[in-house]
Amino acid sequence: MTPLKNRTALVTGAGRGIGRAIAQRLAHDGALVAVHYGHDETSARHTTQLITDHGGRAFPLHAPLGTPDDATTLYQRLDTALHHLNQPPTLHILVNNAGYNIRGGITDVTPHDFDRLMTIHAKTPLFLIQHALPRLPHGARIINITSAATRHALTTALTYTMAKSALNALTRTLAQELGPRHITVNAVAPGYTKTDMNKHRWNTPQQETTHTTHTALGRMGHPTDIADIVAFLASHHARWITGQTIDASGGTHL
């Protein structure tokens, strides 16, 4: 089964963690995947190798985000890469996944941290979508990775939660605006997921058990749990879903 055959996908921050799992799953479903990375070329090439070793199609795409003209640079390099692969400059699936967290509450946040988190999680996805519009055909898919932290009070990640909440708002508004083109825009909101970015929070069995008790399904999430939901939203089966934020947390803090 290759439901995404003849589709081109771009996954930002696809070198590790959730982004890597998403890239692998989309490639497994038949998509040609641009494995975007900002700085870690080794990890992005490893993701690409994992995909091609299993018969998928992928290529690494370097473009730092949060810099002047980042969207312009990214799409220029994407177009060049697709040209070299004899592919048209068309993008069927855009997954805004790249991000990171700076932990802290109201007394900890600094203007620099605030600006950086809002740029990466809200401003950058906005302009990546804006610049993608000429490349998106009728029926394309935009999927934003947000966070389950936006629906409960996580005092240790105030600015991160604010930035992800802005991404949720962007998702709803763009779904309405792009509806006439049958472009669906949805978000996926992971909860406690075992990735490199969060390993310091559950690097002992006791810490992992503590977080697990907050989930209805009684375990930590895995990147593949998120990737499967993204793949569904990217497929024809999700054609009647748009403007939604899908909670992918295993029932965290219900």
Side-chain angles (χ1 to χ4, degrees), residues 63-236:
L65 301 180
T67 59
D69 300 320
D70 53 359
T72 299
T73 299
L74 185 151
Y75 286 114
Q76 286 176 343
R77 294 177 179 179
L78 176 64
D79 291 346
T80 298
L82 291 175
H83 176 74
H84 287 160
L85 294 171
N86 295 316
Q87 297 293 319
T90 303
L91 184 62
H92 302 87
I93 303 161
L94 170 60
V95 182
N96 286 305
N97 166 78
Y100 71 104
N101 188 11
I102 301 174
R103 295 176 61 79
I106 185 61
T107 60
D108 305 303
V109 63
T110 67
H112 177 268
D113 291 346
F114 180 89
D115 290 345
R116 183 63 178 164
L117 286 172
M118 292 299 293
T119 293
I120 293 299
H121 294 290
K123 179 181 177 181
T124 294
L126 167 64
F127 288 102
L128 286 181
I129 294 169
Q130 182 190 73
H131 283 68
L133 290 178
R135 298 168 173 81
L136 297 176
H138 184 92
R141 301 286 190 261
I142 298 170
I143 302 163
N144 300 317
I145 306 303
T146 64
S147 174
T150 59
R151 62 169 173 77
H152 66 92
L154 188 61
T155 58
T156 57
L158 173 62
T159 306
Y160 175 81
T161 302
M162 292 176 66
K164 289 295 192 182
S165 296
L167 189 53
N168 287 344
L170 174 65
T171 299
R172 290 191 300 272
T173 305
L174 284 181
Q176 180 69 36
E177 185 169 357
L178 300 181
R181 294 174 56 183
H182 287 200
I183 296 174
T184 66
V185 188
N186 291 292
V188 177
Y192 298 132
T193 308
K194 297 184 72 171
T195 67
D196 291 344
M197 186 175 79
N198 292 319
K199 63 183 180 180
H200 65 281
R201 297 182 62 189
W202 34 76
N203 55 12
T204 68
Q206 293 79 11
Q207 289 175 318
E208 183 171 333
T209 298
T210 297
H211 286 84
T212 297
T213 61
H214 296 305
T215 68
L217 297 181
R219 68 170 175 85
M220 298 285 291
H222 299 285
T224 53
D225 295 322
I226 315 306
D228 288 347
I229 298 170
V230 171
F232 167 69
L233 291 173
S235 74
H236 179 69

